[in-house]
Amino acid sequence: MNKNEMFRLLNVNLDMAIEAHELLRGEANAEVSGVVMTQEKSAYALVTTIVIETEEGARQMGRPIGQYVTMEAPVLLSNDYSAHHELTEILGQQLIRMMSLDESASVLLVGLGNWNATPDALGPQVITKSLITRHLYQFTPETLKGKLREVSAITPGVLGLTGIETAEIIRGIVEHVHPDLVIAIDALAAGSLERIGASIQLADTGISPGSGVGNCRMGLTEETIGCKVLAIGLPTVVNAAVIAHHTLECLLDQLKTSPALYRIYQELNPQMTQQILSEVLAPFHGNLMVTPKEIDTLIESSARIITGALSMSLHPEINEQNYPAYFQ
Amino acid sequence: MNKNEMFRLLNVNLDMAIEAHELLRGEANAEVSGVVMTQEKSAYALVTTIVIETEEGARQMGRPIGQYVTMEAPVLLSNDYSAHHELTEILGQQLIRMMSLDESASVLLVGLGNWNATPDALGPQVITKSLITRHLYQFTPETLKGKLREVSAITPGVLGLTGIETAEIIRGIVEHVHPDLVIAIDALAAGSLERIGASIQLADTGISPGSGVGNCRMGLTEETIGCKVLAIGLPTVVNAAVIAHHTLECLLDQLKTSPALYRIYQELNPQMTQQILSEVLAPFHGNLMVTPKEIDTLIESSARIITGALSMSLHPEINEQNYPAYFQ
Amino acid sequence: MNKNEMFRLLNVNLDMAIEAHELLRGEANAEVSGVVMTQEKSAYALVTTIVIETEEGARQMGRPIGQYVTMEAPVLLSNDYSAHHELTEILGQQLIRMMSLDESASVLLVGLGNWNATPDALGPQVITKSLITRHLYQFTPETLKGKLREVSAITPGVLGLTGIETAEIIRGIVEHVHPDLVIAIDALAAGSLERIGASIQLADTGISPGSGVGNCRMGLTEETIGCKVLAIGLPTVVNAAVIAHHTLECLLDQLKTSPALYRIYQELNPQMTQQILSEVLAPFHGNLMVTPKEIDTLIESSARIITGALSMSLHPEINEQNYPAYFQ
Amino acid sequence: MNKNEMFRLLNVNLDMAIEAHELLRGEANAEVSGVVMTQEKSAYALVTTIVIETEEGARQMGRPIGQYVTMEAPVLLSNDYSAHHELTEILGQQLIRMMSLDESASVLLVGLGNWNATPDALGPQVITKSLITRHLYQFTPETLKGKLREVSAITPGVLGLTGIETAEIIRGIVEHVHPDLVIAIDALAAGSLERIGASIQLADTGISPGSGVGNCRMGLTEETIGCKVLAIGLPTVVNAAVIAHHTLECLLDQLKTSPALYRIYQELNPQMTQQILSEVLAPFHGNLMVTPKEIDTLIESSARIITGALSMSLHPEINEQNYPAYFQ
C-alpha cells in the first residue's frame, strides 16, 4: 500500500499541492501528466508554481485545474525582520500576478478558522490586521479611487460555533456585496513537520472540501459561493497519523538494510501497518493535530507577512516601504 | 423646545420604547393615542408591556407598530444570584410568549456589536455562551427533536471592521439558512443613567435603523432582512448629550423657584440651550458615550441572564433548574 | 531500553503521577517500594490516590514525597451535564480533604499558562471564572467571614511574554499577600492520548520543574515560592514522541508473534529505535504537541468543573447546588 | 467655588499635569510658584514640559516634585500614518531624555488596566506588542548586549480581578527582578473631551494614587514599589462630572452677558451648583466615564505609537526606520 492510499484510509488530508505532487512523482521523480511545475529561487525563498492543466492532472492531484503557488521559506520560523520584509514583497508580487485585478475591482476577505483554537486562528488574525475600506468608499469614493481599493471582510466562525456551513454564509454575503474576488485565508494541515510555519500557499481554485485545520466541509470555490476565490494558506499542523506513518516507514527502511531483515520485511502483512496506525490513533477518532509549542508566535508573524502582502497588492497607495504603517 | 425635539437636534437616539413613551406622556402623564401600556410587578422586576397599535401611535412613538416589553430590575446591578435566577425565569417566560414558536421552528441568533468595545460586546458574549445545534441537527435529527430546537448563530461584526452593513450580511445568511425567526441581541443607548444595566427590552419589531451602541445603520427588521426579528437589548450607555441636557434642566428648575429668577428664566432664549449643548459636546461630533466603570461585569452578568432565558425558551429539554449547565 | 529511559532520552515529560507509577510497575504490576496506591470507584469516576512515602519512592517516581490524586472520568469528554455535576462534587470533596484549610485561611489562585495558546489556556480560564474576594474582605470582613473565604488570584503569563520566571513572580506576590495556600492550575502533558481531557490530577507537592504544557522551568513548590502549593492539572496534550514511540512498540509487538520474526526482533539494535524517533521528531527540536481538534471545548468544560469544585471547597456559602451561579 | 474645589468635591481626578497647571494659572494666566513650563512646537505636535521644582509647587499642583511632559497632537485622532511616524520619533526622543539609562540598565514594563474594559486596555495592549528580552538575555547575553536591552514585562490585572493591589504585585516582582527602571503604561482620565486620544503624558514621578481609568488605589511610585517609575499615559475617558460641570459653566457664562442676568447670576447659591451636579451624577456613585465610540481604534493606534517609541528608546538596534518590524 503506498503512502497516498494509506493517507486516504486514515482520513489524512494533504492541503498543500506541492506535497501531493511530490507524492505522485515518487522516488522516481516522474513527470505527472497534465501538471507543470516551475521554480524560482531567491535569497530567502523558493517559489514553486504548479499548474494543473488537464482533467487527468486534476484527477491524479486530487484537486481542480488551476494554479498553485507555494513560497517555501524556512526563515519564516526565525525572527529575521529584514528577511520577513523581503518575503512580504515576494508574496505581494505573486498575489498581484494571480489576482490580476481591474482598477475598479472590489475584494471580500474571508478569515476562516476559529479564534479560540490557536492553530486555527490565522484567518481571523489577518482580518483583524487588514485595512477595510468598503464603508468609506460609500461616502468618499473620489478621494479613495486609485489609492485604496474597495475591500470588505468577514470572519464567519466555524461550524461548531455557528451551526452554519461557512460556504452558505459566504455565498449569502457574496450575493449582496458582489465582490469581484473573494480572498480566503486559512490554516492548513501539512504532510510533514518541516513545513509547519515555513511555507505559504496561494491557490486560484479556492479551498477544497474538507481541507484546512477546521475542515471546511463544503470547501470555498466558485461553485459553492458564486465568486472566484483565491486561497492563502499557511500549514500550522500535521495530522498525527503522518507522524505515526513516518515512524513506521523509518523502521521498515531499517529492516531493508540487511538481507535477513529484508526477508522479514517482505513477510510483513501490509494490513498490519494500517492496523497498527488505527490502533495508535484510535482516541478522538484520529482527529489529532501535531503542532509546535511556539505555534502562536509563528502564526502571529505569518499573519503580518500575509497582511502586508495583501495590503500592497490590493491598494495602489501601499507599497513595500509603507505597508507596516497600515496594519490595523 | 421640549426634550424630544432637543434630543432629535442633538442626534440622541433613545433605544427604549418605555422611555419614548414616558417622554410623550410628559408631566401630565397623558395617554398616547394608539399606544397601550400594561404592567406586572413581582419581587424583583417590573415588566412593562407597551403595544403600539396604530400608525398614529407608531408615528408618535417614532417606532413601528408592535410589542415592546421591558423588564426593569435594579437587582441586575447587584450580585444577588437567587434574584438573577428569578429574572432569568421571568425573561424566559416573556420570550416564550413573544416568540410563540412552532415545535419544528428554527432560530438564528445574531450577536450584534463589537467584541473590541466593552459597552458594545453584549451580543457577541451571548452568542459565545449559547448552545448551537443546527449542525448537530443535520446528523441526528431524531435524537434532538422535541429536546433541543434547531439553533444557528452568527456574530457579524460591526461596519468598521467588515465594511458591510450588518443587515446585508444577515439577509444573505437568512436566504440560505431559512430560519423561522431571527433573534438579535444588542447593547442599547438609554435616556437616563439609572437604566444602564438595570433593564432588558424585548421588541417583536426588530432593531430600528440607527439604534444600538454601534448604531446599526439600516436596522434589522423583517423588511431589511426578510425574516421576522425579535430584538433583545440591554442599555449599556447613555449619550453624553443626555447628561448635559439633564444638568441644564436641573439648573433651570432651580431658576423657577423664585419669582425674580423665574423672570430671568423666561428671558433665556431656547436657542441658548441648544447652543450650549452643541458647544459642550462638539468633540468627536457628539459621538460620546457615558458608561459606568463596572460596565464589563454588568454585561457579563446580563449576558448570563439573557443566555439562560434564551436556552429555556428555545429548548424543551432546558428548564429553570438545569439551564446554567448548558452555558457554553 | 525501557520506555522510561526512552522518554528521558527524548525529553518527554510525564506530568501525571499515575502514569509514572504504571510505568514503574510495568507488565508485572509489581509494587513500588515507598509508594502506596488506593482507588475509589463511583458511577462516573475512578479516583486513584498515590502517596509517595519515602525518599526511595520519590527517587523512583521522579517526583517529591507527597500525595497525588487523579480523578479519571472519560465522561469529561462528553456533554453529559449531570455527570459533570457529579464530577464537580467529587473533585470538590477531594480538594477539601487535601487542603484541610483553617476557617480563617486565605488562598492565592495562580492560573499558569498562555492565554494565546489554546492547549495551554486552562489556568487563565479558571481564574477568569473564579470568584475573587480579597479586596472585598478589606472593606467588609464581618459580612464575608464564614461565608466567603479570602481569595486572591494572578495570571502571571508565560516566560516568553514576561521574560520572568513564573516562580519569581509568584514568590514576590506571596511575600506581600501572605496566603496560607497557593493553588496553581495548569495544563499538563500526558503519556497517552486516552488521558487528554479525561483526567484531573491534584498534587499537594505543587508543580515540578519542567512540567506543564508551557514548561514551567523552575516549577512552583514550597521551596521556590515560599508557600505550600496545591496543583490542579488537566492533561491537554501528548508529546509527539509518545505517538512515535507507541507506533514502534505496536510494530515490535507484532514482530514478536512468530518465532521467525522474534529472532529478527532480537537482532534489532535498541539504538535503532532511538535513532528513528530522533529523526522523525527532529523539527522544532521535538517540541511537538499532539492535541485533538476539539481541545478548546474540552478545556472550557473542564475549566467549569475545576472552578465549580474550587468554589465549593473554598467558600462555605457555596455548595453543590448553587455553585454554577457563582461563575464569573 | 472654583473648578478645582468643585472637582475635588465631585471626586474628579485630573490625571494630566498640564490640565492641573492650566487650572491653577486660571484666566489671569499667572505663574505658579515653584513650577516651570517650557514648550516646543513641531509640525504635528506641541510638547509641553512642566517641572515641579519645589514643595510649594508640588502642593499647589497636587502631585510630587518632578518632570511632566505632554505631547499634544490632535493628528493622533486621524489616520495620517506619516504623521504618526513622526510622533513616534518625538516620543522616543523624550523617553530617551527622561530615562537617561545606563548602557547596561534593565527595564520592567508594567501594563496597567483591564483587558476586558476597552477604555482601560491601553497598558495590556502595549505589553502585547512589545519586544521582551530578559529571558533571552540569560542564555545569550553576549549576542544581545549593545543591541537589545534587557526588558521584562507584566500585565498585573486590576484589583477586581486579582483581589491584590497593583503596587503590591509590582513591588514583589521588583524585589526579585531588580530592574533599574519600571515603565508603567496606563489609560488616564482627562479634564476635557478634546484631550481624549489626542495627548500622551510622560511623568518621571510614576503614577499617583487614585489616578488612571481603573483607579490605581495606592499609585505606583518609587515609594510604593521600591524602584524609580516612569509613567506613560494616554487620556481615554473624561469623568461625566466634567461634562455636567462644563454645561453649567457655559450657561452661567451666558448669564453674565447682560447686566440684569448678571445680578441673578450673583444671587445663585454656589451650593446650588454642587447640588445639581450631585443629583445628575448620582447613579453608579458618579463612577461614570465619557468616552467616544471609536475609543478602541484610538487606543490601538496610540498603543502602536507608544510601543514604537519604547522600542527605539530602549533598544540600540531599533531606530526610526525599522521599529514597526519589531512589533510583536
Side-chain angles (χ1 to χ4, degrees):
Chain A
M1 187 162 13
N2 71 21
K3 205 171 177 176
N4 232 341
E5 292 168 278
M6 180 65 75
F7 282 0
R8 206 165 301 146
L9 269 168
L10 293 168
N11 234 328
V12 172
N13 201 60
L14 288 187
D15 290 340
M16 306 201 73
I18 201 173
E19 293 183 336
H21 194 231
E22 261 171 31
L23 263 186
L24 282 176
R25 295 178 66 153
E27 289 178 22
N29 201 12
E31 293 275 320
V32 181
S33 156
V35 179
V36 176
M37 184 183 92
T38 53
Q39 293 193 309
E40 204 173 328
K41 216 176 148 28
S42 63
Y44 296 114
L46 172 65
V47 174
T48 303
T49 303
I50 291 173
V51 183
I52 302 181
E53 296 186 328
T54 65
E55 281 304 337
E56 164 62 12
R59 198 192 52 74
Q60 284 202 71
M61 288 281 289
R63 56 201 77 212
I65 289 176
Q67 198 178 337
Y68 302 83
V69 173
T70 306
M71 178 177 82
E72 291 176 277
V75 76
L76 273 167
L77 300 173
S78 78
N79 278 334
D80 183 339
Y81 300 108
S82 69
H84 286 197
H85 191 98
E86 190 177 302
L87 296 179
T88 308
E89 211 173 325
I90 293 171
L91 197 65
Q93 293 304 330
Q94 292 292 339
L95 282 169
I96 288 171
R97 191 181 57 75
M98 289 183 79
M99 300 192 298
S100 66
L101 291 175
D102 273 359
E103 204 183 305
S104 63
S106 67
V107 166
L108 169 64
L109 303 179
V110 176
L112 295 171
N114 182 354
W115 260 128
N116 299 321
T118 314
D120 198 17
L122 176 76
Q125 278 206 26
V126 169
I127 298 303
T128 301
K129 291 186 199 296
S130 292
L131 182 65
I132 304 307
T133 58
R134 182 171 176 269
H135 53 309
L136 309 172
Y137 239 82
Q138 298 180 326
F139 293 118
T140 55
E142 64 292 338
T143 68
L144 297 173
K145 212 159 254 175
K147 295 181 184 165
L148 298 177
R149 201 181 287 278
E150 186 185 319
V151 174
S152 53
I154 190 90
T155 303
V158 292
L159 185 61
L161 297 177
T162 64
I164 314 173
E165 287 284 347
T166 303
E168 290 179 285
I169 296 175
I170 304 305
R171 177 179 269 277
I173 295 172
V174 162
E175 285 165 7
H176 287 269
V177 171
H178 303 298
D180 295 291
L181 179 67
V182 163
I183 302 179
I185 302 102
D186 200 7
L188 305 179
S192 88
L193 292 168
E194 283 84 359
R195 287 205 195 281
I196 292 183
S199 321
I200 294 173
Q201 174 177 274
L202 310 179
D204 65 6
T205 55
I207 291 184
S208 308
S211 71
V213 174
N215 280 358
C216 196
R217 286 201 310 202
M218 292 169 60
L220 278 195
T221 62
E222 186 160 7
E223 210 171 19
T224 58
I225 68 163
C227 175
K228 280 190 62 175
V229 187
L230 180 78
I232 305 181
L234 174 84
T236 63
V237 303
V238 159
N239 193 308
V242 172
I243 305 294
H245 184 264
H246 189 185
T247 309
L248 276 190
E249 269 192 329
C250 284
L251 179 58
L252 299 178
D253 280 354
Q254 295 282 339
L255 292 184
K256 288 189 234 167
T257 52
S258 88
L261 287 165
Y262 189 65
R263 246 172 303 127
I264 304 309
Y265 171 69
Q266 288 179 308
E267 283 179 42
L268 284 173
N269 195 327
Q271 264 89 60
M272 200 172 87
T273 310
Q274 196 208 328
Q275 193 189 318
I276 290 171
L277 293 181
S278 302
E279 191 188 319
V280 172
L281 301 166
F284 300 98
H285 316 290
N287 263 324
L288 293 155
M289 309 182 299
V290 184
T291 198
K293 271 190 197 157
E294 56 268 47
I295 188 64
D296 58 327
T297 58
L298 291 185
I299 287 182
E300 172 76 25
S301 71
S302 294
R304 289 175 59 80
I305 288 171
I306 293 170
T307 306
L310 277 172
S311 291
M312 68 174 77
S313 60
L314 288 175
H315 303 298
E317 191 174 281
I318 304 184
N319 56 40
E320 310 82 52
Q321 263 69 56
N322 66 5
Y323 73 89
Y326 287 86
F327 286 136
Q328 298 300 296
Chain B
M1 187 162 14
N2 71 21
K3 205 170 176 176
N4 231 340
E5 291 168 279
M6 181 65 75
F7 281 180
R8 205 163 303 146
L9 269 167
L10 294 168
N11 234 327
V12 172
N13 201 61
L14 288 186
D15 289 340
M16 305 202 73
I18 202 174
E19 293 183 337
H21 195 233
E22 260 172 31
L23 263 186
L24 282 175
R25 296 177 66 154
E27 290 178 19
N29 201 10
E31 293 275 320
V32 181
S33 155
V35 179
V36 176
M37 183 181 94
T38 53
Q39 294 192 309
E40 204 173 327
K41 217 175 150 26
S42 62
Y44 296 113
L46 172 65
V47 175
T48 303
T49 303
I50 291 173
V51 182
I52 303 182
E53 296 185 327
T54 64
E55 282 303 336
E56 165 61 12
R59 198 191 50 73
Q60 283 202 73
M61 289 281 288
R63 60 200 74 212
I65 289 175
Q67 198 177 337
Y68 302 84
V69 173
T70 306
M71 178 177 82
E72 292 176 276
V75 76
L76 274 167
L77 301 174
S78 79
N79 279 334
D80 183 338
Y81 299 107
S82 70
H84 286 198
H85 191 99
E86 189 177 305
L87 296 179
T88 307
E89 209 173 327
I90 293 173
L91 197 65
Q93 292 304 330
Q94 292 292 337
L95 281 169
I96 288 171
R97 190 182 57 74
M98 289 182 79
M99 301 192 299
S100 65
L101 292 175
D102 274 359
E103 204 185 306
S104 63
S106 67
V107 167
L108 168 65
L109 304 179
V110 176
L112 296 172
N114 183 353
W115 260 127
N116 300 319
T118 314
D120 198 16
L122 176 75
Q125 278 207 25
V126 169
I127 298 302
T128 301
K129 292 185 200 295
S130 292
L131 182 65
I132 305 306
T133 59
R134 183 171 175 269
H135 54 310
L136 309 174
Y137 239 84
Q138 298 180 325
F139 293 118
T140 54
E142 64 293 339
T143 67
L144 299 172
K145 211 161 258 174
K147 295 182 185 163
L148 298 176
R149 200 180 287 279
E150 184 186 319
V151 174
S152 54
I154 189 91
T155 304
V158 291
L159 185 60
L161 297 177
T162 64
I164 314 173
E165 287 285 346
T166 301
E168 290 178 285
I169 296 175
I170 304 306
R171 176 179 269 277
I173 295 172
V174 162
E175 285 165 8
H176 287 270
V177 172
H178 303 298
D180 295 290
L181 178 68
V182 164
I183 302 180
I185 303 102
D186 201 8
L188 305 178
S192 88
L193 292 167
E194 283 84 0
R195 285 205 195 281
I196 292 182
S199 319
I200 294 174
Q201 174 178 275
L202 311 178
D204 65 5
T205 56
I207 291 184
S208 309
S211 72
V213 174
N215 281 358
C216 197
R217 286 200 312 201
M218 291 169 60
L220 277 195
T221 62
E222 186 161 6
E223 211 172 18
T224 59
I225 68 163
C227 176
K228 279 191 63 177
V229 187
L230 179 78
I232 305 181
L234 173 84
T236 63
V237 303
V238 160
N239 192 308
V242 172
I243 306 293
H245 184 265
H246 189 186
T247 310
L248 277 191
E249 267 191 332
C250 284
L251 179 58
L252 299 178
D253 279 354
Q254 295 282 338
L255 292 184
K256 287 189 234 168
T257 52
S258 87
L261 286 166
Y262 190 64
R263 245 172 304 126
I264 304 308
Y265 171 70
Q266 287 178 308
E267 283 179 44
L268 284 173
N269 195 325
Q271 265 88 59
M272 201 172 85
T273 309
Q274 196 210 330
Q275 193 189 317
I276 290 171
L277 293 180
S278 302
E279 192 188 318
V280 171
L281 302 167
F284 299 97
H285 316 290
N287 262 326
L288 293 155
M289 308 181 300
V290 185
T291 199
K293 272 190 198 157
E294 57 268 47
I295 189 63
D296 57 327
T297 57
L298 291 184
I299 287 180
E300 172 75 25
S301 73
S302 293
R304 288 176 59 79
I305 289 171
I306 292 169
T307 306
L310 277 171
S311 291
M312 70 175 75
S313 59
L314 289 174
H315 302 298
E317 191 174 283
I318 304 184
N319 56 40
E320 311 82 51
Q321 263 70 55
N322 65 5
Y323 74 90
Y326 288 86
F327 286 136
Q328 299 301 296
Chain C
M1 187 163 13
N2 70 20
K3 204 171 177 176
N4 232 342
E5 291 168 279
M6 181 64 75
F7 281 180
R8 206 166 300 147
L9 270 168
L10 293 168
N11 233 327
V12 172
N13 202 60
L14 288 188
D15 290 340
M16 305 201 73
I18 201 174
E19 292 183 337
H21 194 232
E22 261 171 32
L23 263 186
L24 281 176
R25 296 177 66 154
E27 289 178 20
N29 200 10
E31 292 275 321
V32 181
S33 155
V35 179
V36 176
M37 184 181 93
T38 54
Q39 295 193 309
E40 202 172 329
K41 217 175 147 28
S42 62
Y44 296 113
L46 172 65
V47 174
T48 303
T49 303
I50 290 173
V51 183
I52 302 182
E53 296 185 327
T54 64
E55 282 303 335
E56 165 62 11
R59 197 191 52 74
Q60 283 202 73
M61 289 281 288
R63 57 203 75 213
I65 288 176
Q67 197 177 338
Y68 302 83
V69 173
T70 306
M71 178 176 83
E72 291 176 276
V75 76
L76 273 167
L77 301 173
S78 79
N79 279 333
D80 183 339
Y81 301 107
S82 70
H84 287 197
H85 190 99
E86 189 178 305
L87 296 179
T88 308
E89 210 174 324
I90 293 172
L91 197 65
Q93 292 304 330
Q94 292 291 338
L95 281 169
I96 288 171
R97 190 182 57 74
M98 289 182 78
M99 300 192 299
S100 68
L101 290 175
D102 273 1
E103 203 185 307
S104 63
S106 68
V107 166
L108 169 64
L109 303 179
V110 177
L112 295 171
N114 182 354
W115 261 127
N116 300 320
T118 315
D120 198 16
L122 176 76
Q125 278 206 27
V126 170
I127 299 303
T128 302
K129 291 186 200 297
S130 292
L131 182 65
I132 305 307
T133 58
R134 182 171 176 268
H135 54 309
L136 308 173
Y137 239 83
Q138 298 179 327
F139 293 119
T140 56
E142 64 292 338
T143 67
L144 298 173
K145 211 160 259 175
K147 294 181 185 164
L148 298 177
R149 201 181 286 278
E150 185 185 319
V151 174
S152 54
I154 189 90
T155 304
V158 292
L159 185 60
L161 297 176
T162 64
I164 314 173
E165 287 284 347
T166 302
E168 290 179 287
I169 295 174
I170 304 306
R171 176 178 269 278
I173 294 171
V174 162
E175 285 165 8
H176 287 270
V177 171
H178 303 298
D180 294 290
L181 178 67
V182 164
I183 301 179
I185 302 103
D186 200 7
L188 305 178
S192 88
L193 291 168
E194 281 84 1
R195 286 205 195 281
I196 292 182
S199 319
I200 294 174
Q201 174 177 274
L202 310 179
D204 65 6
T205 55
I207 290 184
S208 308
S211 72
V213 175
N215 281 357
C216 196
R217 286 201 311 203
M218 291 168 60
L220 278 195
T221 62
E222 186 161 7
E223 211 171 19
T224 60
I225 68 164
C227 176
K228 279 191 61 174
V229 187
L230 179 78
I232 306 180
L234 174 85
T236 64
V237 303
V238 160
N239 193 309
V242 172
I243 305 294
H245 184 264
H246 189 185
T247 310
L248 278 189
E249 270 193 328
C250 285
L251 179 57
L252 299 178
D253 280 355
Q254 295 282 339
L255 293 184
K256 287 188 236 168
T257 51
S258 88
L261 287 165
Y262 189 64
R263 244 174 304 125
I264 304 309
Y265 171 69
Q266 287 178 309
E267 282 179 44
L268 283 173
N269 195 326
Q271 264 88 59
M272 200 171 86
T273 310
Q274 197 208 329
Q275 193 188 317
I276 291 171
L277 293 180
S278 301
E279 193 188 318
V280 171
L281 302 166
F284 300 97
H285 316 290
N287 263 324
L288 293 155
M289 309 182 299
V290 183
T291 198
K293 272 190 196 156
E294 57 269 46
I295 189 63
D296 57 327
T297 58
L298 290 185
I299 287 181
E300 172 76 25
S301 72
S302 294
R304 290 175 59 80
I305 288 172
I306 292 170
T307 306
L310 277 171
S311 291
M312 70 175 76
S313 60
L314 289 174
H315 303 298
E317 191 174 281
I318 304 184
N319 56 40
E320 310 83 51
Q321 263 69 55
N322 66 7
Y323 74 90
Y326 287 87
F327 287 136
Q328 299 301 296
Chain D
M1 185 161 13
N2 71 21
K3 205 171 177 176
N4 232 341
E5 292 169 279
M6 180 63 74
F7 281 0
R8 205 164 303 147
L9 270 168
L10 293 167
N11 234 328
V12 173
N13 201 61
L14 288 187
D15 289 339
M16 305 202 73
I18 201 174
E19 293 184 337
H21 195 231
E22 260 172 31
L23 263 186
L24 282 175
R25 294 178 67 154
E27 289 179 20
N29 201 10
E31 293 274 321
V32 180
S33 155
V35 179
V36 175
M37 183 181 94
T38 54
Q39 293 192 311
E40 203 172 328
K41 216 174 148 30
S42 62
Y44 295 113
L46 173 65
V47 175
T48 302
T49 304
I50 290 173
V51 183
I52 302 182
E53 295 185 328
T54 65
E55 282 303 336
E56 165 62 11
R59 197 191 51 73
Q60 283 202 73
M61 289 282 287
R63 60 201 75 211
I65 288 176
Q67 197 177 336
Y68 303 83
V69 173
T70 308
M71 178 177 81
E72 291 176 277
V75 77
L76 274 167
L77 301 174
S78 79
N79 277 333
D80 183 340
Y81 300 108
S82 68
H84 285 198
H85 191 99
E86 191 177 303
L87 297 178
T88 307
E89 210 175 325
I90 293 173
L91 197 65
Q93 293 304 331
Q94 291 292 338
L95 281 169
I96 288 171
R97 190 182 57 73
M98 289 182 79
M99 299 192 299
S100 65
L101 292 175
D102 273 0
E103 204 185 304
S104 63
S106 67
V107 166
L108 169 64
L109 303 179
V110 177
L112 296 171
N114 183 354
W115 261 127
N116 299 320
T118 314
D120 198 17
L122 176 75
Q125 278 207 24
V126 170
I127 298 303
T128 300
K129 292 185 200 296
S130 291
L131 182 65
I132 304 307
T133 58
R134 182 171 175 269
H135 53 311
L136 309 174
Y137 239 84
Q138 298 180 326
F139 292 118
T140 54
E142 64 293 338
T143 67
L144 298 172
K145 213 161 254 174
K147 294 181 186 165
L148 297 176
R149 200 181 287 279
E150 184 185 319
V151 174
S152 54
I154 190 91
T155 303
V158 292
L159 185 60
L161 298 177
T162 64
I164 314 173
E165 287 284 347
T166 302
E168 291 179 284
I169 296 174
I170 303 305
R171 176 178 268 278
I173 294 172
V174 162
E175 285 166 7
H176 287 269
V177 172
H178 304 297
D180 294 290
L181 179 67
V182 164
I183 302 180
I185 302 102
D186 199 8
L188 305 179
S192 89
L193 292 168
E194 282 84 0
R195 284 202 196 283
I196 292 181
S199 319
I200 293 174
Q201 173 177 276
L202 310 179
D204 65 6
T205 56
I207 290 184
S208 308
S211 71
V213 174
N215 281 356
C216 196
R217 285 202 313 203
M218 291 169 61
L220 278 194
T221 62
E222 185 160 6
E223 212 171 17
T224 59
I225 68 164
C227 175
K228 279 191 63 175
V229 187
L230 179 78
I232 305 181
L234 173 85
T236 63
V237 302
V238 160
N239 193 307
V242 172
I243 305 293
H245 184 263
H246 189 186
T247 310
L248 278 188
E249 268 192 330
C250 284
L251 179 59
L252 300 178
D253 279 353
Q254 295 281 339
L255 292 183
K256 286 190 233 166
T257 51
S258 88
L261 288 165
Y262 190 64
R263 244 173 304 126
I264 304 310
Y265 170 70
Q266 288 179 308
E267 283 179 43
L268 285 173
N269 195 324
Q271 265 88 60
M272 199 171 86
T273 310
Q274 196 209 328
Q275 192 189 317
I276 291 170
L277 293 181
S278 301
E279 192 189 318
V280 172
L281 302 167
F284 299 96
H285 316 290
N287 262 326
L288 293 155
M289 309 181 298
V290 184
T291 198
K293 271 187 199 162
E294 57 268 48
I295 188 63
D296 57 328
T297 57
L298 291 183
I299 286 181
E300 172 75 24
S301 72
S302 294
R304 289 175 59 80
I305 289 172
I306 292 170
T307 305
L310 277 172
S311 290
M312 69 175 76
S313 60
L314 288 174
H315 302 298
E317 191 173 281
I318 304 183
N319 57 40
E320 310 82 52
Q321 263 69 55
N322 65 6
Y323 74 89
Y326 288 87
F327 286 135
Q328 298 301 296

